[in-house]
Amino acid sequence: MATLVAPPNHSPVEDAEALGKAVKGWGADEKAIISILGHRNGAQRTQIREAYQNLFQEDLIKRLESELSGDLERAMYRWILEPAEREALLANLALKRDEKCYQVIVEISCVLSPQELFAVRSAYHNRFKRSMEEDVAANTTGHLRQLLVGLVSSFRYGGSEINARLAQSEADALHEAIKKKNESNEEIIRILTTRSKTQLVATFNRYKDDHGIAITKKLSDEGSDEFHMAANLAISCINDHKKYYEKVLRNAMGSIGTDEEALTRVIVTRAEKDLKEIKDVYYKRNSVHLEHAVAKETSGDYKKFLLTLMGKED
């Protein structure tokens, strides 16, 4: 369930007019901006952008970029984009970073539905005039490249059917491939990039039943290179993405400081989908409400915005 609290009826023109007042003059009224956009769903935000363009002959996103700053600006920019645009931007930003670009690429490829991933690839084309696949390939090498390009370019079957015999044979194949380490990575890549999520979950469960250990744990034990880490992430995202996101949030607010990029990414991308369930998983794992953890780690209007998206006004 979503945490976003959006009114069923709203006037895009009235919202656009109010936003125009909020950014007029010296300094923006951040609280007014948050109170409007922090309570509007994707369709409503698109309507507001169109109304703002018609009223003021300027792009609302560009205006907000110039009026806001820091973590609030980055969070608001990601929020106001349409979902496919947002994921395309997140993928591109991840590929520009030197370290662990694969985490966000795996996340997008393995959590989104086949249709959503296809829309992201299309948005990436339109925004960056290149394919997502070619940028992933240009920024990676070897088996990691093969895995990531395969995940990004996949269009999985989205049905719920399970082939028990196939789950058994591919659990065995994965076990042998992991034992052989880098000699059989292609088999891991084939299975992770082609099977439906439902079929893969059945295979992972079969693996655990047969070998008494989760496949993610076995992968971690056998290798810590980027390929093994990316494969592990893919399995975690496919197996239970809510548990995966809980871990991302926990790590983002760890003892060595706050990773605002990761914190923003999870809250902004999941607020309209399943952030309520992720909050529940977080509380079960940490005995702390996610809102309290976020409030402790953030401040100012950035904190207010994140808490608004989480359905809790500070």
Side-chain angles (χ1 to χ4, degrees), residues 83-93 108 120 123-124 127-128:
E85 282 184 283
R86 178 199 304 140
E87 301 288 0
L89 173 70
L90 290 172
N92 184 259
L93 290 172
I108 291 169
V120 172
Y124 199 100
R127 189 179 184 97
F128 301 109

Side-chain angles (χ1 to χ4, degrees), residues 175-245:
H175 182 66
E176 289 303 312
I178 294 169
K179 274 202 308 185
K180 292 178 182 176
K181 297 192 176 178
N182 292 333
E183 293 176 28
S184 299
N185 285 345
E186 287 85 358
E187 192 68 353
I188 298 173
I189 293 166
R190 177 189 67 79
I191 294 168
L192 292 183
T193 60
T194 61
R195 299 303 184 197
S196 73
K197 292 182 184 179
T198 307
Q199 182 65 39
L200 284 170
V201 170
T203 299
F204 304 151
N205 289 338
R206 184 76 262 165
Y207 186 100
K208 187 173 183 180
D209 290 344
D210 287 352
H211 303 288
I213 186 173
I215 187 171
T216 48
K217 178 71 166 63
K218 186 66 175 175
L219 271 170
S220 297
D221 291 346
E222 292 296 330
S224 58
D225 56 57
E226 287 192 320
F227 171 79
H228 283 85
M229 292 170 73
N232 212 325
L233 279 173
I235 293 167
S236 296
C237 288
I238 292 166
N239 216 11
D240 189 340
H241 72 267
K242 297 181 185 73
K243 282 180 69 175
Y244 163 78
Y245 281 125

Side-chain angles (χ1 to χ4, degrees), residues 113-309:
S113 71
Q115 292 76 18
E116 288 171 333
L117 179 56
F118 186 82
V120 172
R121 292 206 301 268
S122 179
Y124 199 100
H125 287 176
N126 294 335
R127 189 179 184 97
F128 301 109
K129 310 308 176 191
R130 299 184 303 277
S131 77
M132 194 167 158
E133 295 92 325
E134 70 180 293
D135 279 0
V136 169
N139 285 276
T140 52
T141 58
H143 288 134
L144 177 65
R145 173 192 285 168
Q146 292 176 35
L147 174 63
L148 295 185
V149 171
L151 290 173
V152 165
S153 58
S154 68
F155 193 83
R156 302 178 190 277
Y157 174 62
S160 59
E161 294 86 351
I162 293 171
N163 182 325
R165 252 194 243 176
L166 183 64
Q168 178 70 69
S169 67
E170 294 196 334
D172 292 340
L174 286 169
H175 182 66
E176 289 303 312
I178 294 169
K179 274 202 308 185
K180 292 178 182 176
K181 297 192 176 178
N182 292 333
E183 293 176 28
S184 299
N185 285 345
E186 287 85 358
E187 192 68 353
I188 298 173
I189 293 166
R190 177 189 67 79
I191 294 168
L192 292 183
T193 60
T194 61
R195 299 303 184 197
S196 73
K197 292 182 184 179
T198 307
Q199 182 65 39
L200 284 170
V201 170
T203 299
F204 304 151
N205 289 338
R206 184 76 262 165
Y207 186 100
K208 187 173 183 180
D209 290 344
D210 287 352
H211 303 288
I213 186 173
I215 187 171
T216 48
K217 178 71 166 63
K218 186 66 175 175
L219 271 170
S220 297
D221 291 346
E222 292 296 330
S224 58
D225 56 57
E226 287 192 320
F227 171 79
H228 283 85
M229 292 170 73
N232 212 325
L233 279 173
I235 293 167
S236 296
C237 288
I238 292 166
N239 216 11
D240 189 340
H241 72 267
K242 297 181 185 73
K243 282 180 69 175
Y244 163 78
Y245 281 125
E246 182 281 324
K247 188 174 182 180
V248 174
L249 289 167
R250 182 162 27 100
N251 291 341
M253 296 181 286
S255 57
I256 56 172
T258 306
D259 181 351
E260 288 85 3
E261 181 69 30
L263 182 61
T264 297
R265 185 177 80 248
V266 176
I267 292 175
V268 165
T269 59
R270 307 315 296 180
E272 293 182 84
K273 292 189 172 185
D274 52 12
L275 188 54
K276 187 177 186 303
E277 288 95 331
I278 294 167
K279 283 166 55 178
D280 292 341
V281 175
Y282 187 93
Y283 183 75
K284 286 177 184 174
R285 173 65 175 74
N286 303 283
S287 300
V288 175
H289 289 291
L290 182 58
E291 297 95 326
H292 296 162
V294 170
K296 184 179 177 183
E297 294 290 330
T298 57
S299 62
D301 291 317
Y302 173 60
K303 176 176 86 168
K304 180 175 178 59
F305 183 49
L306 293 187
L307 291 178
T308 299
L309 296 185

